[in-house]
Amino acid sequence: MKDLNHQLAGLGTTIFTVMSALAVEHGAINLGQGFPDTDGPADVLKAASDALMDGRNQYPPMTGVPELRQAVAAANRRFYGLEVDANSEVVVTSGATEAITASLMALVNPGDEVVLIEPLYDTYVPVVRLLGAVPKLVRLTPPNWDLPRAELAAAFGPKTKAIMLNTPMNPTGKVFSAEELGFIAGLLHKHDAYAVCDEVYEHLVFDGLQHIPLMTLPGMRARCLRIGSAGKTFALTGWKIGYITADKRLAGVATKAHQNLTFTSAPNLQRAVAVGLGKDDAYFAGLADELERKRDLMAAGLARLGFGVLPTHGSYFISADFRPLGFNGDDVAFCRHITEAAKVTAIPVTAFYDGAGAPGHFARFAFCKRDEVLIEALARLERLFGGRDAGATPPPLTQAARTA
Ligand code: PMP
Ligand code: GLN
């Protein structure tokens, strides 16, 4: 039979699915795939269940129910001072995942170049390639993940159509500074390029830092598609409600992409997310404070066990160097080993790189879990590594882990 799509046929199953399946298989605490283990706010849940019963269960408008588009516009004004037209500049999608694909579809033609910053979320590169565009990768380096400005500038050229920018960043927890964003804005201006801004962790920022949308910088309003996710903002990752905010010209073409991907998403969930976005400032501040406390708990616990813990200033994630524990394998082997032997699952950080030569000695732990779960996970790791040499020999890699 004829070949199937080469890009997709050659792609492994996402690491998040692979590691969650492994966690289930071994009855492990899953600190891999990033999802909270408590439900989102009760009023948002109730709004969703009420909305299900009041007879509005047919196709909502393509760009989203009016209540949610207005709530997205209002949140842009409240948090960032952005004036947004709810009718023409907001597109509600099935999660940020669809928003990323729709935004890239809206921007690129085959042969265009897209600048991407490694480590990166695992849908970016496959989607860029599926569209026939060319990824130009620039790599950040631990422990500080500083932006290598000269390399970034060198990645831009006459064929550059866009940059994918993720801040706060998964898996590094980096929050891009005003200076770094200013540098990126300068490159976009110089090369007449656009930005797809993955800001799903916009409200999960710690240490007194501030999330700054690139879109708020001078000259950037018409060059950015800014993406948010109700999954992250309301701890409801299964709902898959995302939203794009963009200038009318960009939003219009992103809507055409959305029209051909999913067209729309569940109306009751959209209406409930509108309620969520209207919550008071204390909710959003409390969300970040709570996660910051969990970050501290996890950072201190991993450091006590001997991990080389990297700083993380936002998101659900913390990464740690496991070499000080005396483990002699790579990150895939390590994550598999702790799943099997300690019954704690993490994600190998090399999964966030496309190219060769990625640092192979970091595991990413999700700390968006109940305190007692984090404490139990740390206790299990301590039992495994307490003696330093215990478990130092990695097991053989499985095919599933290899192709992840
Ligand atoms: N971007 C990043 C950086 C993420 O970590 C995630 C993970 N949830 C997504 C996008 C996808 O978000 P959603 O679940 O809303 O599709
Ligand atoms: N964003 C989540 C993470 O980084 C995973 C999302 C997914 O499983 N697709 O863990």
Side-chain angles (χ1 to χ4, degrees):
M1 286 190 281
K2 286 181 180 162
D3 288 355
L4 303 183
N5 178 275
H6 295 163
Q7 297 294 341
L8 295 176
L11 202 62
T13 301
T14 172
I15 190 70
F16 306 115
T17 294
V18 170
M19 295 313 290
S20 282
L22 202 65
V24 169
E25 184 187 332
H26 292 278
I29 294 176
N30 190 354
L31 305 186
Q33 192 177 27
F35 59 90
D37 62 353
T38 47
D39 258 344
D43 53 351
V44 177
L45 296 173
K46 178 154 186 336
S49 73
D50 288 352
L52 202 58
M53 300 309 291
D54 77 357
R56 280 172 59 188
N57 289 299
Q58 308 310 326
Y59 293 130
M62 176 159 65
T63 55
V65 299
E67 300 94 306
L68 179 52
R69 280 186 276 116
Q70 280 153 17
V72 171
N76 271 297
R77 189 177 313 113
R78 166 156 61 137
F79 294 111
Y80 312 116
L82 281 167
E83 290 302 326
V84 171
D85 177 25
N87 290 325
S88 61
E89 297 189 311
V90 177
V91 187
V92 176
T93 56
S94 293
T97 305
E98 188 204 346
I100 291 162
T101 298
S103 298
L104 287 167
M105 285 172 77
L107 293 176
V108 307
N109 290 307
D112 286 348
E113 292 177 357
V114 178
V115 176
L116 300 153
I117 302 176
E118 283 183 320
L120 38 67
Y121 190 57
D122 74 344
T123 70
Y124 299 172
V125 171
V127 171
V128 167
R129 291 207 176 107
L130 268 172
L131 294 171
V134 181
K136 302 294 276 185
L137 294 161
V138 175
R139 193 166 281 189
L140 306 186
T141 310
N144 292 327
W145 310 107
D146 290 327
L147 190 68
R149 296 185 188 207
E151 283 168 43
L152 186 70
F156 276 74
K159 290 188 178 167
T160 305
K161 181 60 74 70
I163 186 170
M164 268 296 323
L165 181 67
N166 177 212
T167 181
M169 191 180 186
N170 178 6
T172 63
K174 175 183 172 72
V175 177
F176 281 69
S177 68
E179 292 71 30
E180 289 172 326
L181 294 170
F183 184 76
I184 293 169
L187 291 172
L188 295 184
H189 182 73
K190 179 173 171 198
H191 295 278
D192 184 18
Y194 299 93
V196 178
C197 302
D198 180 344
E199 301 179 14
V200 299
Y201 299 105
E202 62 187 317
H203 294 294
L204 313 185
V205 176
F206 320 136
D207 306 315
L209 296 177
Q210 247 202 319
H211 168 62
I212 306 171
L214 182 64
M215 196 178 206
T216 59
L217 271 68
M220 291 297 108
R221 177 68 171 77
R223 293 191 181 276
C224 295
L225 296 116
R226 193 179 96 71
I227 296 170
S229 167
K232 307 295 149 53
T233 299
F234 302 107
L236 294 163
T237 60
W239 280 21
K240 300 297 287 188
I241 300 290
Y243 18 90
I244 303 171
T245 301
D247 170 76
K248 186 176 175 179
R249 172 173 167 262
L250 296 179
V253 183
T255 300
K256 301 289 173 51
H258 173 61
Q259 164 180 313
N260 287 290
L261 285 167
T262 60
F263 177 69
T264 191
S265 51
N268 68 313
L269 301 183
Q270 292 194 41
R271 290 165 66 193
V273 171
V275 170
L277 285 174
K279 286 175 81 66
D280 60 15
D281 290 353
Y283 167 75
F284 295 91
L287 180 70
D289 287 350
E290 181 68 3
L291 277 163
E292 179 168 350
R293 203 182 47 70
K294 291 177 185 297
R295 186 274 317 262
D296 290 346
L297 191 166
M298 204 60 191
L302 291 171
R304 188 168 44 79
L305 296 182
F307 282 91
V309 179
L310 297 182
T312 187
H313 301 295
S315 83
Y316 283 157
F317 309 113
I318 189 162
S319 295
D321 182 349
F322 50 78
R323 289 174 303 184
L325 303 177
F327 186 81
N328 300 318
D330 65 13
D331 59 349
V332 173
F334 178 80
C335 291
R336 187 172 184 88
H337 178 56
I338 61 172
T339 301
E340 290 172 351
K343 308 235 176 287
V344 175
T345 298
I347 300 284
V349 166
T350 49
F352 298 87
Y353 289 81
D354 183 64
H361 49 273
F362 293 103
R364 188 200 78 171
F365 296 88
F367 50 77
C368 47
K369 306 288 178 184
R370 284 167 293 141
D371 287 3
E372 58 267 35
V373 172
L374 298 176
I375 290 164
E376 172 60 18
L378 288 165
R380 290 181 184 192
L381 289 170
E382 186 160 22
R383 281 199 288 279
L384 179 63
F385 291 110
R388 276 296 161 99
D389 283 330
T393 309
L397 295 186
T398 63
Q399 194 54 33
R402 261 186 227 285
T403 54

